Each structure stands twice: as structure tokens, then as C-alpha cells.
Amino acid sequence: MRNKWLGKKTAVLAAVAVLGFTGPITGVQGTARFGSTEVSAYAAEDMLGYENPEKIIIATPNSNNYSTTASKISILGACDYRYPLTMNGEPVETTEYGFFTVYVTLSVGENVFLFENGENGHRLVINRKKSASGGSSGGGTSAKYKAVANKMGELTLPYTMPYSAPGTVKIDYLPLTQNTTFRIVGEWGNYYKLPDGTYVPKSAVKVYSYKMPSNKVNKVKVEYDKTKHTVETTFSMRMDALYDVQVSGDTVKFVLYDTTAGGAVSVPDNPLVSSVSRKTDGNGRAIYTYKLTDGDKLCGFDVFTKNGTMTFVLKYAPLLKKQGSLEGAVVLLDAGHGGSDNGTVGAMGIYGPKEKDVNLDLTLRVKKELEEMGAKVITVREKDTYYTLNERVALIREIKPDLSISIHGNAMGITSDYSLSSGFLTFYSYNNIQDAAGVINTSVNTTMGYPKRTIRKANLSLTRLTACPAVLLETAFLTHPEDYEYLLKSSNREKLADAIAKGAKEYLESVAIYEQSVRKHTVKRGETLSVIAKKYGVTVDAIVKANKIKDKNVIQTGSVFVIPAK
């Protein structure tokens, strides 16, 4: 992918200051004199934390006398870029800064690979073991499904993904929040079956050995939070019921299982929800139906439980101050990994820039770009700090940003040919709350001149959120030497950060409402759409579209129309 940007090995030398590495490096890679004031360090000013090792580094496999049953693996490493590299006497192609990968075939037993680079040598031993022979298929007993009665369960984890069958995740299913309570209708191995037909791991459930009592909604309170652009409905009832959210056009249904609908519903003035109706269906489910003023402006939803109440949140589109600016938008940026979690490593292994370093640098550059565009940016981390996935998810759900972007670097398993996987990828889980992934992916690929790639649907902790549009960007493959080198160059990261920020801006503007556009007009007797359009300097068709008027020749006196921006 990167060949048009990157040269191969050159003989250019650049003596520069040592970039923060101190002390000797020992182990299978040998000893490198990083940080020594007596040794000239060869590095590039434009390369993040890189310093010519002046030794051969083997990043993967990460130990000598490595054992595997695989017939082929990739060797990834770095060498002194001033000299050519050979393996068992054969030349090995390296990048400009001495990064390399070789996909090798292994014989059963000991495999020795001798690397030579200038005056340096490295002996790598890989032991291939025989694959275990397959045992008899009839000796074990598989788990069987059995019905369960008079048991109920409560989810104990902050977020639990339901399964369509034991061990099978269907990404379209929505995650369930902590304290969700349900009848256990069956069990299958390590999973319980729920009334909606899905399964959850037994490890995520606190079990009560009695019949689930009756559950009725006693009180409903709907509030509009103008600061967070949310409409929040709090349901008071005996238990936090199993739920489902169904989105279709201008309608959202919040379904509560084994629950009777109740509570008077009053909807305050807000830009998203025009009305809420309720009923109890024939299957014993309470269904609250939300009629939206414009389904295209729904940008997220979530469910929380607290002190005997259940809160259903609908997220409205970002409200921007003016055209051309992101002022008013809130973006959350998550720099993947950090602290004790390095993420993956590149050709320099643990002795050079790791994924967590690249992610943080790139994230801070994106933050700067977005802030210059006017957005408020919240970051999970701005230092080399460790946060769990649950902590990151909890922050996103608490903040309810207009967009969440998690920035990562990619990698392949050691049995893959590292040289075959490179490039930028965009991941998402749900696109039923606006196509943020598609807009950002297209924008970045176009701006950077990358090969066109479709967005990838995946079950990832940082994307399986419904609170807001959430995407995860795999900026490049650190296991690909040229991708790794590309990401280490500051100039490339600056271009990529600018492209990501532009993609975010393009998405936010595509769904935004502008403060100057939120104007309303009450129809007076004798007025026509032509008269109203002329008064505000907009077209009749714009008013018709903004208000979904079926017949533009027939309007009712007293009707309130939203007047779109010019």
C-alpha cells in the first residue's frame, strides 16, 4: 500500500540527539546502546521515538527457541539501516529505516535462521512441534438445552452482549445494561436463555431461585436536556425489566418484557419527540412508542438503571452555532491502549515506538484539529495511562458525545504473512443511528488517497455502543514494515490527523441542526406557504421538506412550521 511514499534501504546517515531511550537492551535481540552518550545515534527527526538500533532486533517471534505447531510463521524485526540484511545467506528486503518481515516455512523439529547485518549477527531458533492427532469424536458429551422454570436473573456487568445462540454473537443485537432483570426460560451449557430468545453468559448473571413477580410501570417522567441534546424518560417500577429498542423511520419503540404499561406520559417541548403512547401487548410486554419530529435527527439511544428506576435516553443531532464551524459539537477521542497495555508492537518490538505511543500522538493531533474547527473535545487519555475497556465505555455513556472515535493500530497473527496485510480500516457495530462510519471512512480514504475500502462491522467494545455514533479506526498495520514506518513519520501522522478531523467534521455537519436555523412560524389566517417562504427568504420546497408537509396547497391556521436555514 505504501510503496508510492516509501523508499527501500538507503545509505543516508543522520546524527541526531537520543530520543528518550536509556539503558542497555538485553535478551534475544542482543545488546543495544540506546541512551549512551559515547555512541552516535542514527535517527530521523521526523520519526516518532525511533533510533537506529545498530543491532538486529527480532520483534516476533518475541523469544528465541520459539515453539509452534504452525507450518509457516512471519518473522518481524529491525536492523541497522546502513547495511544490507541477509537471512541464511539470502538477501532480505528492508524499508528505508531497516524494518523487515520474512514469511518462513518450518520443518518439524529445530529451524535455525541466521541473520547478518554489517558486523552484527543474530541466531533465531524456532521449534516446530507435531500437531496433536485428533481424538475420538464420540468420547465427549455436548451440552443440551433444557427448559427452566421459577428462576429469574439479574445482569451484574456494566454492559452485556446477548447471543443469538450459545457462543454465537449477532452484532445487530443491542447490549444490555447492568441490573436488567428477566425470567430465565432455559439453559444451554454456560448460557441462560432469556424471554426474547437470546442467550447471556451465566458468568454475567446473578440467579434468584423463585418465580419472577409481576412488574408494572407506575410512573413515567419525560425530560429534555438541552445541554446534552437528549430526551430522557424515567420509568419507575418494581424491577428493571428486560428491554428492546426498535427504530423505524420516525418511530422508536421501547419494549419492556414481562411488564404492564402504566404511568401518564407528558412530553415537554423539545426538538426530537412529538408524542409518546403506551400499551401492553398480548405477550405481556409494555410498549412505549415515541413519535419523532424527524427520525433523521436521532443520533443515539441508551438505557440506564438507578435506584429502582430505568431511564431511556434518546440522543438528538448536534446543535451547531453556525455554518462552517463545529462550535456546539462534542467529540470524544479514545487513544487505544496505554500504560501497562502496549497494544501491538511493530518492527522495533518493545524497544521502539509501540501501538499505544502512535495512538496517543495521533489522537492529540486530531484533538488539536477538531478544537481549531470549534468542537469541544474530550479525551480518554492524554498521557501514557491505562484504562480498562469498561472504564472507556462508561465515560462515553456518561458524556453522550455527538461522536466517539477510537484510534488504534492493526496487527496480524504470527501465522499470517505480514507483508500481505496493510492499510487503513474503519470498524463499527451499529449504523442504525446515522452512517458515521461510512462518512468518515470515505472522507479519510479520499483525502489521503488510500485505496477504497468498505467499512467493517465488528463486535468491539468501543463500537458496540448505541449512546452515540461510535467508530474505531485502525490506522495501519504495525506488523507490516512499511505501514509501521509510515506511521512513525510525523508528517504522515499530521496528514492523517487532519484527514480524520475533516471526516468527523463532514459527518457532524451532515446531521447537524444549526441554531440560526431553529426558527418557527405559526400560520395565520389567509397565509400561504409562498407568503411564509418569502418572509423568511427560503423556498417553499425547503419548508415542505423540513416539516414533511403532504400537500403544500393545504395548510392549517395555527400550524407551527420549522423554518430551515437559508
Side-chain angles (χ1 to χ4, degrees):
M1 169 186 169
R2 310 290 187 196
N3 289 343
K4 63 179 180 180
W5 291 299
L6 299 174
K8 298 300 178 184
K9 175 177 287 297
T10 67
V12 178
L13 302 181
V16 299
V18 176
L19 299 179
F21 291 97
T22 59
I25 296 172
T26 59
V28 299
Q29 285 80 9
T31 302
R33 294 165 291 177
F34 292 159
S36 169
T37 57
E38 301 176 359
V39 177
S40 295
Y42 296 95
E45 294 177 1
D46 193 35
M47 297 281 281
L48 174 69
Y50 165 79
E51 181 176 310
N52 185 17
E54 300 181 342
K55 292 285 183 181
I56 299 171
I57 290 176
I58 302 298
T60 62
N62 59 6
S63 65
N64 211 349
N65 292 314
Y66 177 80
S67 293
T68 180
T69 58
S71 61
K72 292 184 177 182
I73 68 166
S74 282
I75 300 172
L76 177 69
C79 65
D80 189 331
Y81 63 69
R82 297 173 297 176
Y83 308 106
L85 175 70
T86 62
M87 182 186 77
N88 294 344
E90 296 295 324
V92 174
E93 186 177 58
T94 66
T95 66
E96 180 181 358
Y97 287 91
F99 305 147
F100 66 90
T101 186
V102 187
Y103 195 47
V104 297
T105 300
L106 304 175
S107 302
V108 174
E110 184 178 89
N111 296 262
V112 179
F113 300 95
L114 298 175
F115 290 91
E116 293 183 293
N117 173 232
E119 296 181 356
N120 297 313
H122 183 88
R123 184 175 185 268
L124 175 66
V125 178
I126 301 174
N127 292 296
R128 180 185 171 192
K129 300 177 180 179
K130 291 183 178 180
S131 299
S133 58
S136 171
S137 60
T141 57
S142 59
K144 295 181 180 180
Y145 175 81
K146 62 179 180 180
V148 172
N150 299 325
K151 276 190 179 182
M152 56 183 284
E154 180 182 0
L155 294 178
T156 59
L157 302 179
Y159 238 21
T160 299
M161 285 298 297
Y163 292 67
S164 57
T168 304
V169 172
K170 185 176 182 180
I171 302 173
D172 291 332
Y173 288 170
L174 302 179
L176 296 172
T177 198
Q178 193 169 19
N179 301 325
T180 297
T181 307
F182 50 87
R183 279 185 300 119
I184 297 175
V185 300
E187 61 179 305
W188 194 345
N190 294 321
Y191 296 84
Y192 287 124
K193 186 176 183 180
L194 280 55
D196 63 356
T198 62
Y199 293 81
V200 293
K202 289 181 177 179
S203 59
V205 180
K206 181 178 181 180
V207 178
Y208 300 91
S209 296
Y210 50 79
K211 184 178 180 180
M212 186 168 178
S214 61
N215 196 40
K216 181 179 180 179
V217 176
N218 300 311
K219 183 179 178 181
V220 179
K221 185 177 182 180
V222 184
E223 296 177 291
Y224 172 50
D225 187 330
K226 188 175 182 179
T227 303
K228 292 184 177 179
H229 313 312
T230 58
V231 174
E232 303 185 4
T233 307
T234 301
F235 299 87
S236 298
M237 49 191 167
R238 185 173 185 176
M239 290 172 295
D240 302 318
L242 176 65
Y243 61 89
D244 188 21
V245 180
Q246 301 168 0
V247 180
S248 178
D250 294 338
T251 301
V252 177
K253 291 184 178 181
F254 184 53
V255 181
L256 298 168
Y257 285 78
D258 295 318
T259 302
T260 302
V265 184
S266 176
V267 181
D269 186 35
N270 72 89
L272 182 59
V273 179
S274 59
S275 65
V276 181
S277 61
R278 60 178 171 81
K279 72 172 184 178
T280 304
D281 71 3
N283 295 316
R285 304 180 305 174
I287 301 177
Y288 289 80
T289 302
Y290 293 72
K291 186 65 178 176
L292 308 182
T293 54
D294 185 353
D296 290 339
K297 299 306 177 185
L298 175 65
C299 289
F301 54 83
D302 206 351
V303 179
F304 295 90
T305 60
K306 184 179 180 181
N307 299 329
T309 62
M310 200 167 199
T311 301
F312 177 47
V313 181
L314 293 172
K315 172 75 175 174
Y316 189 52
L319 186 63
L320 303 184
K321 297 288 185 182
K322 58 184 178 180
Q323 297 276 354
S325 170
L326 289 184
E327 185 179 357
V330 178
V331 179
L332 185 139
L333 297 178
D334 168 48
H337 308 283
S340 59
D341 178 9
N342 289 329
T344 191
V345 296
M348 291 287 288
I350 62 173
Y351 306 114
K354 297 166 279 291
E355 183 193 350
K356 67 174 183 178
D357 306 317
V358 178
N359 294 344
L360 181 58
D361 179 275
L362 188 54
T363 296
L364 295 178
R365 291 173 188 264
V366 176
K367 177 178 185 285
K368 179 175 179 291
E369 294 286 343
L370 286 172
E371 288 178 336
E372 290 177 355
M373 295 174 180
K376 178 181 179 181
V377 180
I378 296 170
T379 53
V380 172
R381 67 181 181 99
E382 294 193 1
K383 296 180 180 179
D384 186 17
T385 312
Y386 174 75
Y387 292 97
T388 66
L389 290 175
N390 283 341
E391 289 173 329
R392 295 168 196 252
V393 170
L395 180 63
I396 297 171
R397 297 180 69 194
E398 177 188 349
I399 298 299
K400 302 178 183 65
D402 297 305
L403 176 64
S404 171
I405 302 176
S406 188
I407 294 176
H408 283 252
N410 218 336
M412 294 300 294
I414 195 170
T415 58
S416 301
D417 185 345
Y418 289 163
S419 69
L420 299 181
S421 298
S422 64
F424 177 87
L425 292 173
T426 302
F427 290 88
Y428 75 103
S429 293
Y430 308 109
N431 254 9
N432 57 343
I433 46 176
Q434 308 303 335
D435 186 22
V439 173
I440 293 172
N441 183 67
T442 299
S443 180
V444 170
N445 285 329
T446 301
T447 300
M448 297 299 292
Y450 291 163
K452 187 179 295 185
R453 282 181 168 175
T454 58
I455 56 178
R456 308 288 180 93
K457 193 168 188 175
N459 180 34
L460 304 173
S461 294
L462 274 302
T463 59
R464 62 188 186 205
L465 295 157
T466 59
C468 66
V471 300
L472 186 146
L473 307 179
E474 296 281 10
T475 55
F477 282 78
L478 274 71
T479 46
H480 190 290
E482 291 184 354
D483 266 25
Y484 180 63
E485 187 168 282
Y486 178 85
L487 279 182
L488 295 194
K489 292 188 175 181
S490 299
S491 56
N492 292 333
R493 293 196 310 282
E494 188 64 26
K495 293 175 187 175
L496 183 53
D498 179 67
I500 292 171
K502 285 181 178 177
K505 183 173 186 286
E506 184 176 335
Y507 160 70
L508 291 167
E509 290 180 334
S510 73
V511 297
I513 297 293
Y514 292 89
E515 284 191 3
Q516 64 207 44
S517 70
V518 184
R519 299 175 292 172
K520 295 183 179 181
H521 178 86
T522 303
V523 179
K524 300 179 179 63
R525 185 181 297 275
E527 280 188 320
T528 64
L529 283 180
S530 296
V531 170
I532 298 170
K534 185 175 181 180
K535 177 179 179 179
Y536 292 98
V538 298
T539 65
V540 170
D541 287 342
I543 296 177
V544 169
K545 182 178 180 181
N547 296 274
K548 299 187 177 180
I549 299 172
K550 295 181 180 180
D551 187 348
K552 63 183 178 181
N553 296 312
V554 180
I555 58 175
Q556 298 286 332
T557 299
S559 297
V560 179
F561 291 153
V562 173
I563 307 300
K566 296 180 181 180

